[in-house]
Amino acid sequence: MTNSKIRKVAVIGTGTLGSQIAIHSGYHGYDVSAYDADPESLEKVLQMIQIRIANSNRKPVIPLREIQRQAKKIKMGKTLEETVGEADLVIEAIPEDLRLKRETFKQMDLHAPPKAILATNSSSIPVSRIESATRRPERCLNLHFYSLDLGRNIADVMGGTKTTRQVLETGKEWVRSIGCVPLTVKKELLGFCFNRVWRAVKRETLHMWAGGYADFKDIDRGWMIWTGMSQGPFGIMDAVGLDVVYGIEMVYYNESKDRKDYPPAALKRMIQRNELGVKTGKGFYAYPNPEFKKPDFLKP
Ligand SMILES: NC(=O)c1ccc[n+]([C@@H]2O[C@H](COP(=O)([O-])OP(=O)(O)OC[C@H]3O[C@@H](n4cnc5c(N)ncnc54)[C@H](O)[C@@H]3O)[C@@H](O)[C@H]2O)c1
């Protein structure tokens, strides 16, 4: 089922999340083009997705072979300009950095058709902070997806200061059309809908670990037994990417200026050692065979 107002989707940034948005759009019949500053990004992400799926007991929203097949069909552009030229919807999934996102939105606005909707997949930045980089704030919105490869088919949907009702409805309809459940944010909130719940878990568990109160593996054990999930918060953060987690925490800190929101220095040191999680083979756990997958991890 494709969305009546959207035929062509352009994705900017085909890393962990952008690749999945592009792949699912293609799977559901949209004409998909994409651009990434790193021409090898899709290839690297596909390898990572295989490891992520192998380490989870959750089924991907679409089978791995379809993920691989759809990835091959994405038209990778050489420039952002050529990629968005005919799009009805442009969704940005580049690193969590406000300056970079504003610059990218400016380019998206300059080169996409005037009718195109511009969306950000940001995990924490409200589109109200980005929309003024464009001449079409009424057509900008947050569409925040989760790991589709781990079966998380939800997306937070939030407007900016001028987003029209019609654009929000079209955004939600498009989210549904690619097999996801839209979670509507009724008034602007940092962290959106479900992502704010997950963020509270991240902040607490990171500080428990960094403060020496508990071993991260015990926190994960508790979570896994309590929720029945195959990974705990630290395993999930490894899958997200610790650099991405850090960037998100900094957005919250810059908002509150509360020291309790500042991400732990120990997390920063991991990033400086290139321990970014699944994508670099080492984070809290080592990959491709992390300890939480071993049969005795949850043994009494
Ligand atoms: N990782 C997650 O689980 C997750 C979940 C939801 C939302 N997000 C959000 O999605 C966005 C991307 O996160 P990610 O985890 O996919 O990051 P990532 O690091 O895996 O991918 C980012 C991609 O953007 C590319 N890039 C960097 N600068 C660029 C530019 N100027 N133009 C084009 N491409 C550029 C990089 O080469 C990389 O491939 C962030 O805003 C993040 O908060 C991430």
Side-chain angles (χ1 to χ4, degrees), residues 136-202:
R136 60 180 101 184
E138 68 290 347
R139 302 189 74 72
C140 294
L141 80 167
N142 286 99
L143 291 179
H144 172 255
F145 286 89
Y146 294 74
S147 318
L148 291 151
D149 55 344
L150 304 181
R152 301 190 177 116
N153 62 328
I154 46 177
D156 298 306
V157 181
M158 186 170 90
T161 63
K162 299 194 173 69
T163 317
T164 65
R165 183 182 288 270
Q166 199 199 11
V167 165
L168 281 171
E169 287 309 317
T170 304
K172 284 194 246 178
E173 200 189 315
W174 176 70
V175 165
R176 284 192 199 96
S177 76
I178 66 165
C180 296
V181 176
L183 309 175
T184 307
V185 184
K186 296 200 284 186
K187 56 182 181 181
E188 183 172 302
L189 180 66
L190 197 66
F192 324 125
C193 181
F194 183 73
N195 205 36
R196 185 148 176 135
V197 176
W198 163 229
R199 190 267 164 168
V201 174
K202 278 184 291 186

Side-chain angles (χ1 to χ4, degrees), residues 115-143:
K115 64 169 186 198
I117 292 176
L118 309 182
T120 174
N121 184 52
S122 168
S123 299
S124 55
I125 306 170
V127 76
S128 63
R129 312 227 173 129
I130 306 175
E131 63 187 22
S132 62
T134 77
R135 298 159 299 178
R136 60 180 101 184
E138 68 290 347
R139 302 189 74 72
C140 294
L141 80 167
N142 286 99
L143 291 179

Side-chain angles (χ1 to χ4, degrees), residues 63-81:
L64 180 59
R65 65 173 182 285
E66 271 302 330
I67 293 177
Q68 289 158 335
R69 202 166 78 88
Q70 295 299 332
K72 288 201 188 91
K73 287 166 61 180
I74 298 169
K75 290 179 227 153
M76 292 302 294
K78 287 201 168 52
T79 61
L80 179 149
E81 185 177 341

Side-chain angles (χ1 to χ4, degrees), residues 12-18 35-38 41 92-96 100-101 104 121-123 144-147 240 243-244 248 279:
I12 306 303
T14 49
T16 312
L17 253 284
Y35 167 71
D36 195 291
D38 173 3
S41 69
E92 158 281 307
I94 63 168
E96 193 76 341
L100 194 60
K101 289 200 189 276
T104 300
N121 184 52
S122 168
S123 299
H144 172 255
F145 286 89
Y146 294 74
S147 318
V240 168
D243 51 339
V244 176
I248 295 166
K279 61 184 161 189

